[in-house]
């Protein structure tokens, strides 16, 4: 369920924590006396354990659920793997940079971009089920997308533990083969990843 929140110029400054606009953009809107309507998604904190190839790890902010979709705090997740991120406040876009590989996530847009010069198709767009969102100053992106962007796959080892592992090239995880059942792990946990 989504709530529509109308923000007037008078309350814009106080409501920035709940708005998907950057502070610089909000200041410009306030200067121009513009009224903003923002969508604040309903979410709940997800109580899950994260492991990488069976070894537990933690991130500083808790994952959240938006509907049945698990969302990860993108920067915290990438930091755990020593992957750089860059924030573009003007465009409300985060870029993940892992060597020559990049992925871009724009707040409020279900369309992201991926660039890998070693891939046959080096640049492409992808669509997410839930658009990236800022919650309490943190950018959250679909777990499946964040994990796939670093060439990893996921498996629920039990209902509360999400295990992440390096993609080993098995066709089992190749969703282009039409065998989405091998990649769909939502049945075991109740979460869409």
């Amino acid at each position: 369920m989504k709530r529509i929140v109308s923000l007037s110029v008078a309350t814009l400054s106080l409501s920035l924590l709940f708005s998907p606009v950057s502070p610089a953009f909000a200041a410009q809107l306030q200067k121009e006396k513009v009224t903003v309507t923002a969508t604040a998604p309903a979410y709940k904190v997800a109580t899950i354990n994260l492991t990488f190839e069976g070894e537990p790890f933690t991130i500083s902010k808790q994952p959240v659920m938006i509907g049945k979709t698990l969302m990860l705090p993108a920067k915290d997740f990438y930091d755990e793997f020593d992957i750089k991120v860059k924030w573009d406040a003007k465009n409300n876009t985060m870029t993940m940079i892992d060597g020559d590989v990049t992925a871009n996530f724009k707040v409020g847009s279900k369309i992201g971009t991926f660039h890998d010069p070693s891939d046959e198709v080096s640049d492409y767009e992808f669509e997410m089920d839930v658009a990236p969102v800022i919650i309490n100053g943190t950018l959250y992106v679909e777990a499946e997308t964040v994990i796939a962007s670093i060439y990893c796959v996921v498996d629920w080892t039990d209902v509360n533990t999400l295990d992440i592992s390096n993609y080993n090239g098995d066709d089992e995880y190749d969703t282009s083969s039409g065998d989405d059942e091998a990649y769909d792990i939502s049945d075991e946990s109740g979460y869409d990843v």
Side-chain angles (χ1 to χ4, degrees), residues 25-100:
F25 183 64
Q28 178 185 352
L29 293 176
Q30 198 168 26
K31 181 179 174 183
E32 295 175 8
K33 308 282 189 234
V34 175
T35 300
V36 177
T37 300
T39 303
Y43 71 91
K44 65 180 180 176
V45 173
T47 308
I48 63 166
N49 301 308
L50 296 171
T51 61
F52 181 75
E53 297 188 345
E55 295 297 318
F57 73 94
T58 58
I59 49 181
S60 63
K61 299 204 173 30
Q62 282 293 109
V64 299
M65 296 295 299
I66 296 180
K68 288 185 70 179
T69 301
L70 181 64
M71 308 285 282
L72 293 176
K75 182 180 182 325
D76 291 0
F77 179 81
Y78 288 132
D79 284 350
E80 181 66 26
F81 292 90
D82 296 321
I83 295 171
K84 294 188 298 185
V85 295
K86 185 174 112 180
W87 176 250
D88 177 355
K90 181 180 176 184
N91 295 305
N92 279 333
T93 303
M94 187 196 77
T95 301
M96 176 278 296
I97 305 163
D98 187 15
D100 290 337

Side-chain angles (χ1 to χ4, degrees), residues 1-3 5 16-20 39-47 61-73 130-141 191:
M1 181 172 89
K2 293 184 178 180
R3 295 181 298 162
V5 181
L16 281 177
L17 290 176
F18 306 104
S19 172
T39 303
Y43 71 91
K44 65 180 180 176
V45 173
T47 308
K61 299 204 173 30
Q62 282 293 109
V64 299
M65 296 295 299
I66 296 180
K68 288 185 70 179
T69 301
L70 181 64
M71 308 285 282
L72 293 176
V130 177
V133 62
I134 295 176
I135 300 172
N136 296 329
T138 299
L139 178 69
Y140 284 84
V141 179
Y191 300 136

Side-chain angles (χ1 to χ4, degrees), residues 169-191:
D170 287 347
D171 287 339
E172 174 184 356
Y173 295 107
D174 182 3
T175 59
S176 65
S177 68
D179 184 15
D180 290 340
E181 189 173 317
Y183 196 71
D184 182 10
I185 58 174
S186 61
D187 293 340
E188 295 174 37
S189 67
Y191 300 136

